């Protein structure tokens, strides 16, 4: 393996961490705006939906880019990203249903 190949993988993981950070900020803003217009009805699913991409995406990707010697293969990263997306969307959806008042 060439050293520049490892550097490009680290750059790709750092870029992924930045994208997860942007997604976390978007989820926090979305939850705040949605709950502002929900007539003082709150949902913990909606409040903490930003934590999945932050704690599950940004922090591990940043740690991997800075400290890891081995970077996982692309299919493993795709599966992990899909899991984080499913948890985030599921939390937002559960929050919407809870605010709406359905069971």
């Amino acid at each position: 393996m060439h050293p520049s190949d490892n550097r490009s993988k680290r750059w790709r993981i750092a870029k992924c961490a930045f994208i997860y950070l942007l997604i976390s900020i978007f989820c926090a803003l979305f939850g705040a705006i949605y709950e502002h217009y929900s007539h003082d009805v709150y949902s913990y699913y909606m409040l903490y939906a930003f934590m999945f991409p932050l704690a599950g995406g940004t922090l591990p990707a940043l740690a991997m880019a800075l400290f890891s010697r081995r970077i996982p293969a692309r299919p493993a990263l795709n599966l992990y990203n899909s899991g984080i997306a499913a948890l985030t969307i599921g939390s937002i959806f559960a929050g919407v249903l809870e605010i709406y008042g359905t069971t």
Side-chain angles (χ1 to χ4, degrees), residues 1 3-4 10 31-32 35 39 63 66 69 75 83 88:
M1 182 189 308
S4 66
R10 288 188 188 282
E35 289 184 10
H39 306 292
L66 295 176
R69 296 181 72 98
T88 305

Side-chain angles (χ1 to χ4, degrees), residues 18-80:
F18 180 70
I19 290 171
Y20 270 125
L21 182 64
L22 291 178
I23 291 170
S24 298
I25 292 169
F26 173 77
C27 287
L29 288 174
F30 178 78
I33 292 170
Y34 194 89
E35 289 184 10
H36 177 71
Y37 290 110
S38 67
H39 306 292
D40 292 331
V41 178
Y42 298 103
S43 168
Y44 288 114
Y45 291 110
M46 187 69 79
L47 278 175
Y48 297 115
F50 75 94
M51 288 301 292
F52 290 112
L54 184 65
T58 302
L59 298 178
L62 193 60
M64 199 181 322
L66 295 176
F67 304 118
S68 180
R69 296 181 72 98
R70 293 181 45 175
I71 309 271
R74 194 70 204 160
L77 289 174
N78 288 343
L79 284 173
Y80 187 78

